[in-house]
Amino acid sequence: MTTEAEAQRLDAADPLRHFRGRFDLPEGVLYLDGNSLGPLPNSTRERLHTVIDGEWGDGLIRSWNRLPDKLGGGGEWITLPQRIGAAIAPLIGAQAHEVIACDSTSVNIFKLIWAALRMQAGDDGRRKVVLSEPGNFPTDLYMIEGLERQGLAERRLAGVDDIEAALDEDVALLMLTHVHYKTGRMLDMARLTAAAHDRGALVLWDLSHSVGAVPVELARAKADFAVGCGYKYLNGGPGAPAFAFVAERHLHALEQPLTGWFGHAKPFDFDDDYVPANGIDRLLCGTPQVLGMSALESGVAITAEAGIDALVAKSRALSEFFRACVSRLLPDLPCVSPDDPAGRGSQLSFRHEHAYPICQALIARGVIGDFRAPDILRFGFGPLYIGYEDLLRAAEHLAEVVATGEWDREEFRARAAVT
Ligand SMILES: *Cc1c(COP(=O)(O)O)cnc(C)c1O
């Protein structure tokens, strides 16, 4: 059932509906790209005002510690990475002291691949294969390649359905993205982690398209390492810091290559020699980006407040509803995402040879999804701010743009730098 009355009924019964008003989305925009850049929470605008005017402007360097009450309290910038890590932990089935916010996803991937290779370097130096899938997110593959160029890693790629066969005694690390950015396919984390462990490999999961939208149980799956992105479903803002997870059992032995002073046991002793901090703090490198961290903390707080169970339930219901709308209105448009809502992320991808201009024509109508080369139209469903009626409207716009050939104009073909 994809009628307007049904959409309105679902919206009225949606337990997360009151979160919509807490985001600053422009009038007339149907935003289906929160899996690329989450929208601006009102609380983040306020928080950044406080951080800029009060903590930076008035508090100045004192804000690294807790500000005195006469300056409004707040500050305590120094613990932002740990505080945000602790708030993300319950969303990914981890303990607070196993997660930290820092750097970018790409940099965290580099640190953790290096760390895993270091742990696996046996006497014979054989185990240095990092196994991943072709078509994984580019940065993930490029980071393995960078380590390969330094002679530290050997990159091996195998289709996800052949991963288990490709796991042999040379594989040091299996590194996969949990929800595929293009198709939305979600992998079985527990099964693949167990298969890798059986062959003596460690596992690093990229949760960029998972956190805040799908169930993630790192502890239950016995995952070794994970990274994830702050600016997608966590609504942390453009270029937000990322996060990294290291299972408690590895925290003691973990070494990472970027031995900056923030990962030191006592940074403010200003010693000449590096001694890693205890625990997850050793993943830090340099001074945290306070403005970005503050926005991320505010975005994570809203996600945590909604609770992962409610977010997952709504994400699945939204994607099912959109799929039903599109299959009624455009029965010939192939969906490349898995049929089972429990087997995919909070997104749906469709294949069309004119995906790029269709996407541009939709944006011109205020329906913001995105295009992924060469022929994918991708729509993400942020469960905090999307409703069912929004999705019905978006599907109607899509059907009109395709049926009328409205996309077939010069203005919709020109490609910008970011697609
Ligand atoms: C978005 C995304 C990234 C982003 O990496 P950055 O360092 O933030 O540019 C990495 N991996 C995956 C799978 C992603 O979806």
Side-chain angles (χ1 to χ4, degrees), residues 104-106 137 139-140 177 206 208-209 231-232:
S104 63
T105 306
S106 302
F137 193 82
T139 210
D140 301 56
T177 299
D206 187 331
S208 291
H209 283 277
Y231 50 79
K232 293 172 180 162

Side-chain angles (χ1 to χ4, degrees), residues 37-310:
L37 174 64
L40 170 65
N42 298 324
S43 53
T44 301
R45 174 182 281 122
E46 287 159 22
R47 174 75 189 275
L48 287 183
H49 268 298
T50 306
V51 172
I52 290 173
D53 293 341
E55 298 181 2
W56 181 12
D58 296 336
L60 295 163
I61 199 157
R62 294 170 288 188
S63 295
W64 282 106
N65 295 309
R66 182 156 179 85
L67 281 172
D69 290 342
K70 67 177 191 315
L71 285 172
E76 226 175 338
W77 294 338
I78 196 74
T79 57
L80 276 164
Q82 294 83 357
R83 266 155 43 200
I84 299 169
I88 292 172
L91 301 171
I92 56 176
Q95 304 177 75
H97 64 279
E98 295 173 314
V99 187
I100 195 147
C102 55
D103 302 315
S104 63
T105 306
S106 302
V107 171
N108 289 331
I109 288 171
F110 179 85
K111 289 186 289 191
L112 289 177
I113 300 177
W114 192 97
L117 289 167
R118 184 80 162 183
M119 284 178 166
Q120 293 279 37
D123 296 337
D124 57 5
R126 260 182 69 198
R127 268 195 194 265
K128 62 178 193 175
V129 170
V130 180
L131 175 62
S132 192
E133 65 158 323
N136 193 354
F137 193 82
T139 210
D140 301 56
L141 297 179
Y142 301 163
M143 284 297 170
I144 310 175
E145 223 182 298
L147 285 154
E148 189 169 52
R149 284 172 200 214
Q150 296 172 47
L152 297 172
E154 200 181 307
R155 191 175 87 162
R156 182 184 295 172
L157 303 181
V160 272
D161 299 311
D162 302 319
I163 286 286
E164 286 168 74
L167 278 165
D168 61 24
E169 63 280 8
D170 294 338
V171 177
L173 178 70
L174 173 62
M175 178 176 128
L176 293 168
T177 299
H178 180 226
V179 170
H180 197 277
Y181 76 103
K182 255 193 216 177
T183 63
R185 177 172 172 183
M186 182 158 79
L187 300 180
D188 184 338
M189 181 182 282
R191 187 173 61 77
L192 288 162
T193 302
H197 286 172
D198 271 356
R199 317 281 154 69
L202 295 165
V203 187
L204 165 56
W205 288 99
D206 187 331
L207 305 176
S208 291
H209 283 277
S210 307
V211 60
V214 302
V216 181
E217 294 287 352
L218 290 172
R220 193 172 298 164
K222 301 193 171 63
D224 300 289
F225 309 109
V227 295
C229 190
Y231 50 79
K232 293 172 180 162
Y233 294 106
L234 293 180
N235 305 309
F243 65 88
F245 157 90
V246 176
E248 183 177 52
R249 63 186 177 281
H250 296 312
L251 279 173
H252 191 65
L254 187 92
E255 285 181 70
Q256 65 107 339
L258 305 179
T259 46
W261 71 307
F262 263 70
H264 192 281
K266 293 186 172 157
F268 292 93
D269 278 6
F270 296 99
D271 269 349
D272 284 349
D273 300 315
Y274 182 80
V275 178
N278 270 327
I280 195 78
D281 292 4
R282 67 180 59 182
L283 273 188
L284 295 176
C285 179
T287 309
Q289 317 94 307
V290 171
L291 299 183
M293 286 274 176
S294 300
L296 175 60
E297 187 173 42
S298 161
V300 170
I302 296 192
T303 310
E305 183 187 331
I308 193 64
D309 295 341

Side-chain angles (χ1 to χ4, degrees), residues 323-335 350 399 402:
R323 204 166 73 109
C325 292
V326 173
S327 56
R328 173 169 66 81
L329 296 166
L330 284 166
D332 297 330
L333 185 68
C335 179
F350 300 89
V402 172

Side-chain angles (χ1 to χ4, degrees), residues 10 13-16 210 212-216 306-321 341-342 344-346 381-384 386 388 391:
L10 289 166
D14 170 12
L16 297 180
S210 307
V214 302
V216 181
I308 193 64
D309 295 341
L311 293 167
V312 168
K314 185 170 172 195
S315 290
R316 287 183 182 166
L318 286 173
S319 71
E320 276 302 88
F321 185 78
R344 63 179 186 235
S346 193
F381 313 109
L384 289 170
I386 299 290
Y388 299 87
L391 293 185

Side-chain angles (χ1 to χ4, degrees), residues 342-355:
R344 63 179 186 235
S346 193
Q347 69 178 72
L348 285 172
S349 299
F350 300 89
R351 179 164 281 138
H352 194 290
E353 62 174 316
H354 302 299

